[in-house]
């Protein structure tokens, strides 16, 4: 492990020297690429230097302890510090998800349970919007299809970071664990007998693709226009402004009806389509390579139930990580950090175990 770190330190120093050269910044794209790699290596460099310093402190304290036993405790403290830094260094060396810095498109779809499922989809949307607000992220409603009682049959939201972020701390780094089936147990608003029902909603999270990442041949697209649908009233358009785009080679479909003009709806649908195509390409590449580093959390099939929201017990349970807490009301108000952190920790542990085996 430490031989690999020494090589990274050499790379870090070389990048620092290159970035100090004004001529490098003439090519802004290349300069950004170098700066990103430099930022990725900086934490490794910092921790390794602290690890090496702890080793020197251990040697010094042991040497002094021969003459003064008071230094024995100092030596043990330095040993504990170095052990902690060793584990921190191991985690930093685990291969990162290359999409962790990306923004995302989050889609929520009502599932089993009819109108109650649509209401739950609305609750999930509010939970994610409040969580994004707590994280300082920006949100943008891309498309929505409301139900008669005020829930959502389906809704799509773009979630974006603000300003410069640390490597690996983008929206995808956190929200990628939310994809799957979310189950709710509660007494529906439409239930007169007070019986607890179970329904579900599906969440799909994809990293938002830049145009340069996904080449879309316009000849591969079928674009259909139609009249927007909705629960009624002014939200229903009287012109054919809604757009549905089908990528013929893959069969992937994206649609949008929220905007007033056909052109705006087409642009939003293309955003969704590019993100879905990028996600499909990444999944195909992962399957082809049989990447052993993918964690148990990441490989959970989207069709599987990942979490249960039990209203009578005020309980939230994540079935992948074993996380359980009795603060469902707070989680639904956006306090989702601890739930997501359990998935982050499980993912990191699985990657670290896989890296140690290889």
């Amino acid at each position: 492990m430490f031989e690999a770190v020494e090589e990274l330190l050499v790379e870090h120093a070389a990048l620092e020297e290159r970035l100090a050269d004004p001529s490098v910044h003439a090519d802004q794209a290349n300069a950004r690429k170098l700066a990103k790699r430099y930022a990725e290596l900086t934490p490794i460099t910092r921790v390794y230097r602290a690890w090496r310093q702890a080793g020197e402190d251990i040697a010094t304290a042991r040497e002094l302890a021969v003459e003064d036993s008071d230094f024995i405790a100092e030596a043990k403290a330095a040993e504990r510090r170095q052990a902690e830094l060793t584990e921190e260094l191991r985690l930093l060396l685990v291969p990162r998800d290359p999409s962790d810095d990306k923004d995302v498109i989050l889609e929520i779809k009502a599932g089993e349970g009819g109108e109650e499922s649509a209401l739950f989809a609305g609750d999930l949307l509010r939970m994610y919007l409040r969580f994004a607000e707590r994280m300082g992220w920006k949100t943008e409603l891309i498309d929505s299809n409301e139900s008669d009682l005020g829930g959502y049959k389906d809704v799509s939201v773009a979630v974006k970071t603000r300003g410069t972020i640390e490597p690996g701390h983008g929206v995808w780094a956190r929200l990628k664990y939310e994809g799957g089936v979310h189950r709710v147990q509660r007494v529906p608003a439409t239930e007169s007998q007070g019986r607890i029902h179970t329904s579900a909603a599906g969440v799909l999270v994809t990293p938002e693709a830049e145009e340069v990442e996904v080449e879309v041949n316009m000849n591969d697209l079928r674009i259909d226009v139609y009249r927007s649908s909705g629960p009624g009233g002014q939200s229903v358009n009287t012109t054919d402004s809604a757009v549905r785009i089908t990528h013929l080679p893959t069969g992937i479909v994206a649609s949008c009806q929220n905007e007033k003009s056909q052109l705006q709806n087409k642009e939003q649908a293309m955003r969704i389509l590019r993100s879905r195509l990028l996600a499909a390409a990444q999944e195909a590449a992962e399957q082809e390579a049989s990447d052993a580093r993918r964690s148990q959390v990441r490989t959970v099939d989207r069709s599987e139930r990942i979490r249960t929201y039990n209203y009578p017990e005020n309980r939230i349970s994540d079935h992948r990580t074993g996380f359980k807490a009795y603060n469902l009301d707070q989680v639904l108000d956006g306090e989702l950090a601890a739930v997501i952190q359990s998935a982050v920790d499980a993912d990191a542990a699985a990657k670290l175990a896989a890296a140690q085996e290889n």
Side-chain angles (χ1 to χ4, degrees):
M1 178 179 78
F2 296 107
E3 289 181 5
V5 174
E6 291 286 357
E7 293 177 2
L8 293 177
L9 258 65
V10 171
E11 182 184 355
H12 184 264
L15 285 168
E16 188 171 36
E17 186 175 341
R18 290 186 66 185
L19 288 168
D21 183 354
S23 64
V24 170
H25 297 273
D27 184 346
Q28 286 295 313
N30 184 51
R32 283 194 297 270
K33 181 179 178 181
L34 296 176
K36 181 179 178 181
R37 178 60 176 165
Y38 180 80
E40 290 173 353
L41 295 179
T42 296
I44 297 173
T45 302
R46 174 180 50 78
V47 173
Y48 181 65
R49 286 173 178 166
W51 178 89
R52 201 161 51 188
Q53 182 61 54
E56 294 175 6
D57 292 344
I58 292 170
T60 301
R62 285 175 178 171
E63 184 178 340
L64 294 172
V66 175
E67 301 292 336
D68 185 350
S69 60
D70 289 345
F71 283 97
I72 295 176
E74 189 172 322
K76 289 182 178 178
E79 288 169 1
R80 288 193 296 272
R81 173 65 176 156
Q82 190 177 53
E84 293 171 357
L85 289 167
T86 300
E87 288 307 305
E88 188 175 349
L89 198 56
R90 288 185 190 279
L91 286 174
L92 286 171
L93 291 174
V94 171
R96 290 186 178 276
D97 182 337
S99 295
D100 272 354
D101 298 327
K102 292 184 179 296
D103 298 325
V104 309
I105 290 179
L106 186 146
E107 301 172 62
I108 306 172
K109 297 180 181 295
E112 299 176 3
E115 195 64 52
E116 164 62 11
S117 177
L119 290 171
F120 178 51
D123 293 335
L124 290 177
L125 174 64
R126 179 179 180 275
M127 178 182 75
Y128 290 125
L129 293 178
R130 293 300 300 272
F131 178 63
E133 183 181 337
R134 291 172 186 270
M135 296 293 290
W137 297 337
K138 296 184 294 183
T139 56
E140 173 194 356
L141 183 66
I142 296 178
D143 190 31
S144 64
N145 185 6
E146 295 184 24
S147 67
D148 292 334
L149 295 184
Y152 288 94
K153 296 177 182 178
D154 54 76
V155 58
S156 301
V157 181
V159 187
K160 299 175 175 290
T161 52
R162 296 178 186 270
T164 305
I165 59 168
E166 294 181 29
H169 285 74
V171 180
W172 172 255
R174 284 292 182 268
L175 291 186
K176 64 185 175 184
Y177 302 104
E178 293 303 294
V181 175
H182 296 240
R183 184 179 70 168
V184 62
Q185 296 172 326
R186 65 183 178 187
V187 178
T190 55
E191 170 59 54
S192 59
Q193 302 296 322
R195 293 172 297 186
I196 296 173
H197 285 231
T198 298
S199 59
V203 176
L204 175 65
V205 187
T206 53
E208 182 158 12
E210 301 290 339
E211 290 191 42
V212 294
E213 293 179 291
V214 179
E215 290 187 14
V216 180
N217 187 334
M218 298 305 291
N219 293 327
D220 290 337
L221 303 181
R222 185 179 73 235
I223 301 176
D224 301 309
V225 295
Y226 58 98
R227 191 159 297 180
S228 298
S229 61
Q234 295 179 347
S235 60
V236 179
N237 289 342
T238 56
T239 59
D240 292 339
S241 61
V243 175
R244 181 188 300 110
I245 304 176
T246 304
H247 186 248
L248 298 175
T250 62
I252 294 175
V253 179
S255 61
C256 185
Q257 63 177 10
N258 261 36
E259 304 297 338
K260 294 181 179 179
S261 77
Q262 189 180 113
L263 179 60
Q264 290 173 314
N265 280 325
K266 180 180 176 182
E267 290 174 351
Q268 297 287 44
M270 283 298 296
R271 284 178 64 185
I272 298 173
L273 180 66
R274 278 196 296 269
S275 295
R276 289 181 179 175
L277 287 172
L278 177 63
Q282 289 173 338
E283 288 178 5
E286 286 173 349
Q287 290 176 359
E288 184 178 344
S290 299
D291 191 347
R293 293 192 302 269
R294 293 171 68 206
S295 76
Q296 294 174 1
V297 173
R298 293 297 309 283
T299 54
V300 170
D301 188 272
R302 285 197 178 96
S303 64
E304 295 182 6
R305 179 191 65 199
I306 67 164
R307 195 175 293 152
T308 294
Y309 304 73
N310 185 297
Y311 276 66
E313 298 179 14
N314 199 35
R315 169 173 53 84
I316 182 153
S317 305
D318 193 293
H319 306 293
R320 302 160 300 175
T321 67
F323 178 90
K324 185 181 294 185
Y326 292 86
N327 64 336
L328 176 58
D329 54 336
Q330 296 173 16
V331 170
L332 290 169
D333 195 42
E335 293 188 17
L336 196 57
V339 189
I340 291 177
Q341 190 61 47
S342 72
V344 172
D345 292 342
D347 197 358
K351 285 179 177 177
L352 183 57
Q356 290 173 339
E357 288 177 3
N358 294 336

